[in-house]
Amino acid sequence: MGKRGVLFCGTALWVVAQAAAWGQEVVKVPMVDVIGVSPVPGTGISRDQMPSNVQGLDGDVLDRAKGATVSDLLERRLGSVSLSDTGGNSFQPSLSFRGFNASPVMGEPQGLAVYQNGMRVNESFGDLVHWEMIPTFAVNRADILPGANPVFGLNALGGAMVMDMKTGFSFQGTEMMAAGGSFGRYKAVAQHGAKAENFGFYGGIGHMGEEGWRQRSPSELSQMFGDVEFRGERFTGGLSLSFGNSDLTGNGPSPVELLHNSRSAIFTSPDTSQNRQISLSGRGNLELTDTLSLQGAAYFRNVRHRTLNGDANTAGACSFDATILCSDPNGADEAQLTDINGNTVPVSAKGSGIINRTETNTNSLGASLQLALDKPVWGLRNTLITGLSEDEGHTRYHSESEVGSLQGDRSIGGSGVILGTSTYWTDISAHNRTIGVYFSDTLSLTDRLTLTMAGRYNAAEVVLEDRFGTDLNGRHMYERFNPAAGLTYQLSPELTAFAGYGEANRAPTAAELSCADAAKPCRFPNAFLSDPSLRQVVSRSVETGLRGRSEAADKSWSHAWSLAGFGTQNQDDILFVASGQSTGTGYFRNAGRTLRTGLEASDRGRFGPMGWFVNYSLVRATMDNDVTLRSPNNPGADANGNIFVRRGSPLPGIPMHSLKMGGSYELTDAWLVEMDAAFYSSRRLRGDEAGLGRRLGGYEVFNAETEYKLADFASAFLRVDNLLDRRYESFGLYGSPTSVFSSFSDNQFRTPGAPRSFWAGLRARF
């Protein structure tokens, strides 16, 4: 397809610039499914004109979420979505879609752009997505637009997720829900929406937590969301306020030999994460004429992220002076430890453990403005959109390490001695700035054939300032134009064929650029040591498929299905490579090409009191060139700690096959029962890209739920997760357990999946 490939890809933008008239109610037209395909709210396109296999969660599914999070629902209901319990906390999973990640964990290769009411949710310092900060109860609709998508800016390598939040026009009334369950779980949610003439108001608050099923793993989370919207004859505008605060424990993977003794066992502690975010976002849509409209969005977001992590350590008495501590005593890298004042550390501090603390404080702000012209060209219906956007992030990152000692319960006790030198103390400022200029055009060549074209120019700047020394100082610039194009053809009123091509890019984040030197591996994500440059990641994707929808005139039944094939190649993909000095220590590097190819098939419908859904996905995520990677804890590594990864070798953490299915049945007008199940094939461990060791085994999880109406306004529900109490693991890596357990010889670490658990509660709506 040439260096740039076929011009433009798979994304069309059609502005729906229709404001409600004074005092009029919004009317929902049956079977017209409009997808938001721009970061600016108020712009969208009919699903039938999308040249890709768009998947989503509608309000009915989200309203029945009960104790589930947005990420849980995406995994249960949508194809090509899987979760990895990277950190060991159900509120903070790593989500993979078609082999591209949206994760709260630094070190995961990020590849999805996530938006909430036009606000970019990816944190600028590491492109992280903190899923627990998204209030599920306030999400009105969530869509995943697959494939390299230039319109959504940086990081949309595998697609973009767009969340439309509730307003007083989409939700009216008052609803309250209270639930409790296994392992000390509890959840309470209250929300209210109303509209009065041209104004709509919505507000919601939620609080939840649990003691956790693993040892020493309590978590607590609070969320709030509010929105006010005005709808006039020519202008629609809204303002949203969001707040979240979490205190989570994620004890991560444990050695497999320890898990054989106890599934709830943890390796070391403490391991906590505290997040607090507050954001304000605005949106507007002005109809300048009958054919020309102006849309805009702006946001400000502050996120503070703190971690406290206890690890085993190998410090001990120096070979040349038994009264002071050295790292790697008697080894090739032996060096005496000093505190923040430059004093040597006495052996009384012990050094068998270390407590790492980090704090990341980020202010993000951005704005987008676009014009939409809906006017025929040569007698053909055409919509042209041109826009520009700017996103900035200002981050202050600090980390420090305290000498500790390993206790009998494998927790780490502190000594009060804070270590100095850049290996253990980091203090940096990062400034990210991205400017984008884009356009899109949707041209109806015939009543059945639609051509969509889009393109975006991205210019990104990352500036690092080392506040402790000079090693991290740096200025990095990246730019690229990404094209896209697609076709849809309506074979019949119920059947549509589509095909598309697109490109996108991702600039290396400040966190990656600060830890990209093989000679100076980082205790990631606790310390950064140097600032060499990395190349930006460029993705190119193709997709083709069919979809169909039909519905009875009397609404007694409905049916929808889709079949799609896709492929995406990443150039200069960035991977985190373990150095082997300790678990979690390593560096980022460009590892060449990676390839994701696959197939998606889905079927869903409703017939009378019965509903169902089935989603099958085949995702083959592989290296697309030969490469040598460091993985010294892998038993199959060579004498230098390297593994040779051949082209076609599967990437870690991504199951090739997944199948999700579920059904619901209304036994009576008051009693509903539901069941869903997910099946996943095996996946490789991180650090085993060459496939030299055992895989994580495939597994299946069944869930069941029932809800009974106690009155017109109240109902009771019961949900059972992992009904068959299946033992499984969704994440694993290679590490070294011998620093804590000298009797353990297996270097595999795994995060165990949660056992059977129950949710029960009451819900009332007035």
Side-chain angles (χ1 to χ4, degrees):
M1 295 185 180
K3 185 176 181 180
R4 291 287 185 185
V6 178
L7 276 182
F8 314 119
C9 154
T11 303
L13 295 173
W14 174 33
V15 168
V16 180
Q18 181 180 2
W22 292 80
Q24 271 191 324
E25 292 190 5
V26 177
V27 178
K28 183 178 180 182
V29 181
M31 297 301 290
V32 176
D33 200 355
V34 177
I35 306 300
V37 290
S38 166
V40 183
T43 58
I45 187 174
S46 167
R47 182 187 294 268
D48 288 337
Q49 292 181 301
M50 286 293 297
S52 59
N53 187 32
V54 179
Q55 302 182 69
L57 302 174
D58 59 24
D60 292 339
V61 173
L62 290 160
D63 283 343
R64 296 199 307 270
K66 311 297 193 307
T69 62
V70 171
S71 53
D72 289 332
L73 291 172
L74 291 170
E75 182 192 35
R76 292 176 187 173
R77 307 281 303 201
L78 303 187
S80 298
V81 177
S82 61
L83 297 183
S84 295
D85 213 354
T86 310
N89 189 288
S90 60
F91 294 117
Q92 283 189 321
S94 292
L95 182 143
S96 173
F97 172 68
R98 291 187 176 182
F100 292 90
N101 293 345
S103 171
V105 180
M106 286 190 181
E108 291 286 302
Q110 308 291 340
L112 296 174
V114 183
Y115 287 86
Q116 174 183 311
N117 264 14
M119 177 178 66
R120 190 175 178 88
V121 174
N122 303 79
E123 303 301 337
S124 62
F125 189 65
D127 269 336
L128 309 182
V129 178
H130 297 291
W131 291 104
E132 85 276 14
M133 294 291 104
I134 300 172
T136 306
F137 59 82
V139 180
N140 185 56
R141 184 184 180 93
D143 291 299
I144 296 182
L145 286 66
N149 198 320
V151 176
F152 287 90
L154 296 180
N155 207 45
L157 305 179
M161 178 178 172
V162 181
M163 287 174 288
D164 173 36
M165 310 302 284
K166 291 178 180 176
T167 71
F169 290 96
S170 63
F171 182 93
Q172 290 98 42
T174 300
E175 182 174 293
M176 294 179 288
M177 188 268 283
S182 306
F183 317 119
R185 291 176 175 172
Y186 61 90
K187 181 175 184 178
V189 173
Q191 55 182 325
H192 175 77
K195 60 179 180 177
E197 295 184 349
N198 303 91
F199 288 92
F201 308 90
Y202 172 83
I205 184 171
H207 183 71
M208 61 207 76
E210 62 178 29
E211 290 301 316
W213 71 274
R214 297 182 73 187
Q215 300 168 6
R216 301 190 291 279
S217 56
S219 293
E220 192 171 27
L221 170 64
S222 298
Q223 301 168 324
M224 288 187 288
F225 182 83
D227 184 86
V228 57
E229 185 172 81
F230 171 82
R231 294 188 177 186
E233 186 175 0
R234 288 284 185 179
F235 175 75
T236 298
L239 192 66
S240 298
L241 177 67
S242 181
F243 174 80
N245 190 70
S246 65
D247 188 353
L248 311 179
T249 304
N251 286 308
S254 295
V256 291
E257 291 167 287
L258 180 61
L259 294 178
H260 288 330
N261 298 329
S262 173
R263 296 284 293 176
S264 65
I266 62 176
F267 188 45
T268 57
S269 67
D271 196 344
T272 63
S273 173
Q274 296 177 325
N275 290 326
R276 187 194 67 192
Q277 73 90 19
I278 184 168
S279 63
L280 182 67
S281 63
R283 61 196 184 276
N285 186 345
L286 175 64
E287 293 184 358
L288 301 173
T289 69
D290 292 340
T291 59
L292 182 65
S293 60
L294 175 69
Q295 295 85 33
Y299 68 90
F300 171 80
R301 177 181 172 93
N302 172 261
V303 177
R304 188 188 68 185
H305 177 58
R306 292 178 173 175
T307 66
L308 175 65
N309 173 257
D311 281 325
N313 197 27
T314 57
C318 299
S319 62
F320 53 85
D321 188 342
T323 65
I324 61 175
L325 284 179
C326 275
S327 61
D328 192 27
N330 301 303
D333 297 322
E334 182 178 23
Q336 66 183 30
L337 298 178
T338 56
D339 63 18
I340 54 175
N341 298 314
N343 302 317
T344 58
V345 180
V347 290
S348 58
K350 296 187 178 179
S352 57
I354 192 168
I355 298 176
N356 302 305
R357 297 180 179 89
T358 72
E359 179 171 355
T360 309
N361 197 314
T362 300
N363 289 323
S364 301
L365 63 159
S368 302
L369 193 67
Q370 68 181 31
L371 281 169
L373 179 64
D374 192 356
K375 190 174 183 180
V377 173
W378 304 309
L380 304 174
R381 183 176 179 182
N382 186 75
T383 299
L384 173 66
I385 293 177
T386 60
L388 57 89
S389 66
E390 181 174 0
D391 296 276
E392 291 195 26
H394 302 266
T395 300
R396 180 73 181 268
Y397 177 88
H398 172 72
S399 71
E400 61 183 45
S401 298
E402 178 184 355
V403 178
S405 57
L406 186 64
Q407 309 297 306
D409 61 355
R410 299 186 302 281
S411 64
I412 307 299
S415 66
V417 177
I418 305 299
L419 295 172
T421 74
S422 59
T423 304
Y424 300 99
W425 181 280
T426 304
D427 195 356
I428 62 173
S429 293
H431 177 208
N432 301 74
R433 185 184 184 192
T434 303
I435 296 176
V437 180
Y438 61 91
F439 76 92
S440 71
D441 191 80
T442 304
L443 179 64
S444 298
L445 299 174
T446 70
D447 291 340
R448 295 186 176 188
L449 181 63
T450 300
L451 169 67
T452 64
M453 297 184 293
R456 181 176 178 125
Y457 169 78
N458 292 317
E461 179 184 44
V462 183
V463 179
L464 298 170
E465 179 185 353
D466 195 334
R467 293 178 173 267
F468 185 71
T470 59
D471 288 344
L472 294 176
N473 289 335
R475 187 185 192 95
H476 307 266
M477 295 289 297
Y478 301 93
E479 61 179 349
R480 194 173 195 276
F481 175 77
N482 297 310
L487 287 169
T488 60
Y489 185 74
Q490 195 170 18
L491 298 168
S492 71
E494 295 81 22
L495 180 62
T496 301
F498 58 87
Y501 172 85
E503 299 182 10
N505 70 303
R506 178 171 84 83
T509 66
E512 292 166 337
L513 290 166
S514 302
C515 183
D517 190 344
K520 297 180 179 180
C522 307
R523 292 178 302 103
F524 197 77
N526 303 308
F528 302 126
L529 296 177
S530 60
D531 178 47
S533 185
L534 292 169
R535 294 183 297 277
Q536 65 182 335
V537 184
V538 176
S539 65
R540 299 174 175 87
S541 70
V542 294
E543 181 170 357
T544 186
L546 294 167
R547 56 174 167 258
R549 290 194 301 169
S550 55
E551 183 179 61
D554 60 359
K555 307 294 181 63
S556 60
W557 61 267
S558 63
H559 179 228
W561 62 272
S562 64
L563 178 66
F566 60 88
T568 302
Q569 183 191 71
N570 278 9
Q571 183 72 39
D572 293 322
D573 215 348
I574 298 174
L575 301 179
F576 182 71
V577 180
S579 68
Q581 294 183 3
S582 62
T583 302
T585 301
Y587 59 96
F588 291 95
R589 60 162 290 188
N590 292 110
R593 300 185 308 273
T594 58
L595 183 65
R596 282 90 167 165
T597 58
L599 176 73
E600 293 170 345
S602 70
D603 189 273
R604 67 185 186 278
R606 173 164 292 278
F607 186 82
M610 180 179 65
W612 73 90
F613 71 89
V614 180
N615 279 300
Y616 168 75
S617 300
L618 185 154
V619 178
R620 189 171 184 269
T622 63
M623 291 297 302
D624 200 35
N625 52 248
D626 295 343
V627 63
T628 299
L629 299 176
R630 288 275 295 167
S631 186
N633 289 316
N634 189 320
D638 63 20
N640 297 317
N642 296 325
I643 57 175
F644 182 70
V645 184
R646 296 187 179 277
R647 180 182 181 184
S649 184
L651 297 176
I654 303 169
M656 180 177 291
H657 302 280
S658 65
L659 174 66
K660 291 91 174 277
M661 59 178 61
S664 63
Y665 193 83
E666 297 175 3
L667 295 174
T668 68
D669 291 340
W671 192 3
L672 174 71
V673 294
E674 295 181 278
M675 179 170 284
D676 61 87
F679 303 81
Y680 297 99
S681 61
S682 63
R683 59 187 91 183
R684 285 187 178 178
L685 279 71
R686 184 188 295 174
D688 192 30
E689 289 80 357
L692 304 175
R694 305 187 312 278
R695 292 177 175 236
L696 298 176
Y699 62 90
E700 66 284 337
V701 175
F702 289 83
N703 310 301
E705 185 173 343
T706 184
E707 184 168 4
Y708 187 80
K709 282 188 178 181
L710 303 173
D712 290 340
F713 63 90
S715 61
F717 62 86
L718 171 68
R719 179 174 177 85
V720 184
D721 291 320
N722 195 1
L723 182 66
L724 304 181
D725 203 20
R726 180 77 159 90
R727 292 191 172 193
Y728 66 94
E729 297 90 25
S730 63
F731 176 76
L733 53 71
Y734 278 101
S736 177
T738 55
S739 57
V740 180
F741 299 99
S742 58
S743 59
F744 284 179
S745 58
D746 196 323
N747 284 10
Q748 283 203 5
F749 285 63
R750 300 184 178 188
T751 305
R756 181 168 49 228
S757 59
F758 299 85
W759 274 104
L762 298 171
R763 182 165 64 168
R765 183 164 184 173
F766 307 94

